[in-house]
Structures are given as C-alpha cells and as structure tokens.
Amino acid sequence: MSQTRRPPKKFAPLDPEKGNVSEAPSLKGIVFDVDGTLCKPQSYMFKQMRATLSIDKSTDILDHIYSLPHPAQERAQAAIRAIESSAMIEQEPQPGLNELIAYLESRGVRMGLCTRNFDGPVMHLLQTFLPGKTFAPIVTREFRPPKPDPAGILHIAKAWELDDGGEGLIMVGDSIDDMTAGHKAGAATLLLANESNGELKEHEHTGRWIERLDELIGILEMGFEEEMARE
C-alpha cells in the first residue's frame, strides 16, 4: 500500500518585516547534532571504536554496547569514552558556526543539542568555541533511546512546552541518524553536507542541505522551506 507523502515543511521568515506577513508557521527552535555538525567530523573515532569492540561497520555501536551484559557494557562504555576524550582535544569548529549561533541568538531562536556523544566532548566544544552560549536541553548518550529514535528531539520539544512534538523544529545534522530522528519527530531536517555524506542529500528523510552552517542565516531570514516532499 502506498503512503501519502506530506508536503515540504516551511517556516515564516525570521526577518520581522517579512515574517509579519507570512502565512507559514513560526519556527519554535533548532536542534543540533554535535560531532560533524557543530564541529568538523572526527570519523576516525568510529573506526577506533569498532576495532576496540570487535564489530564491523554494519553494527551500530550503541546498539551493540546496550546488548552486552552489565559488566561488559560498563567496560565497553569506558573504552569508547576514552576514545572520545582523546579526540575532543582535536575538535575544530565548523566554518560559520559562530556567525550562525550569534544570528540565532539575535533572533531569539531557542537552541538544543541532541547527540550520541557522551557529555565530555559536548561540554568541551561549548566551553572552547561557544562560551556563554545557551543550549538547553542538551541530550547526550545518557538519554535513551538514542538517535535515530526521535525520543531525544521530542524530549527537547516537551521541555520547551511545545504541544505539537517536533512540528515546529528544525533538526540540523550530518548523519542518517540525525535525518531519521528529525523526520520521525515531525521536524524539518537540514543536512550539513560534506565529502562523506553526499548520498544523504537525496534521502527521503532529508528536507534540504547546506555545505556551511552560516548558509542557514539567509535561508531563515527569507523563510525556511524544505526542498523535497517526504513520506
């Protein structure tokens, strides 16, 4: 049986002069992924994690860990936290990060984080590259279930007292987990494209894509609109 495809999601321009006359709904907030989105991808971490856990690329790292008996699960968590802690020293901000966050603050847009990282690298990034900036709630690995389940995004929506789930949100990320979680939460989705994730530009869960974070400024000013219909 074929499913009805919903139209592209859209939000009113954040430019007050244009937004006041728009019939599109207002943007209620933006949820960001962390690794590969706010900072440049550190994909080598995942190879190291899989080697440490003796699993191949087809196996989800967190699913594997959660399937282990309790003592082994704790050891596996400690092992991948050690890899992340080592890598966080080499974090680099994405081009356009500070410009975008400053713009969102100036427009009063709420910002949250939803990541599969543990809290150490997340706080390191915020303290190093975005000191004094407010992201709340911050959903990390301790929250279950993780992406691609939409629960983390819906948790953020509930904390913001939104009564329509993720319908008024944009999920910004660089992975299929980000796009799928956003899609399932009812949010618009925005892929930060790079040389490794180009195939996701055409994925049914990807609403639109950009190559630099600050490209989103002009899009939001004029009114965000997804570029392809999705199921």
Side-chain angles (χ1 to χ4, degrees), residues 14 35 46 48 53 57 60 65-66 93 106 109-110 114 119 125 137 140 164 177 183 198 200 217:
L14 295 188
D35 181 58
F46 305 114
Q48 293 176 359
L53 299 172
K57 192 174 182 180
D60 183 89
I65 291 175
Y66 295 144
S106 74
V109 177
R110 288 181 290 195
C114 186
D119 57 357
L125 182 142
T140 62
D164 57 355
D177 288 343
H183 174 75
L200 296 180
I217 296 173

Side-chain angles (χ1 to χ4, degrees), residues 12-222:
L14 295 188
D15 179 339
E17 294 185 1
K18 296 181 176 66
N20 289 338
V21 297
S22 173
E23 295 182 357
S26 298
L27 176 65
K28 303 294 179 59
I30 298 180
V31 179
F32 291 95
D33 171 52
V34 177
D35 181 58
T37 301
L38 298 186
C39 63
K40 292 182 179 180
Q42 294 180 294
S43 303
Y44 63 88
M45 284 193 304
F46 305 114
K47 293 180 181 178
Q48 293 176 359
M49 290 176 188
R50 289 193 166 89
T52 297
L53 299 172
S54 299
I55 58 175
D56 62 27
K57 192 174 182 180
S58 65
T59 302
D60 183 89
I61 293 169
L62 295 185
D63 285 348
H64 170 75
I65 291 175
Y66 295 144
S67 73
L68 297 173
H70 199 263
Q73 186 175 138
E74 289 184 344
R75 290 194 296 271
Q77 287 278 21
I80 64 170
R81 281 196 297 266
I83 292 170
E84 290 174 282
S85 296
S86 176
M88 75 183 185
I89 301 170
E90 301 177 7
Q91 284 176 337
E92 295 181 64
Q94 283 282 6
L97 171 63
N98 291 101
E99 293 83 353
L100 173 60
I101 301 307
Y103 164 76
L104 294 176
E105 282 194 327
S106 74
R107 290 299 194 205
V109 177
R110 288 181 290 195
M111 298 176 286
L113 300 180
C114 186
T115 175
R116 287 163 59 102
N117 292 109
F118 87 103
D119 57 357
V122 176
M123 300 314 297
H124 180 270
L125 182 142
L126 295 179
Q127 293 165 4
T128 305
F129 303 118
L130 295 169
K133 304 303 182 183
T134 300
F135 293 84
I138 296 176
V139 174
T140 62
R141 181 180 305 148
E142 284 66 33
F143 184 96
R144 293 177 63 181
K147 298 177 295 186
D149 194 284
I153 298 170
L154 295 176
H155 170 78
I156 293 171
K158 184 176 181 180
W160 287 344
E161 300 182 339
L162 303 180
D163 58 10
D164 57 355
E167 292 291 334
L169 307 179
I170 300 173
M171 175 68 208
V172 182
D174 70 310
S175 73
I176 184 58
D177 288 343
D178 300 321
M179 299 298 98
T180 297
H183 174 75
K184 289 182 176 179
T189 56
L190 180 68
L191 175 72
L192 182 60
N194 58 50
E195 60 184 14
S196 301
N197 68 6
E199 75 281 357
L200 296 180
K201 293 177 182 179
E202 303 301 322
H203 194 280
E204 63 182 351
H205 294 170
T206 300
R208 68 182 298 163
W209 57 273
I210 55 176
E211 293 182 325
R212 284 178 53 102
L213 286 176
D214 51 2
E215 290 178 42
L216 184 54
I217 296 173
I219 293 170
L220 293 173
E221 278 290 275
M222 298 301 294

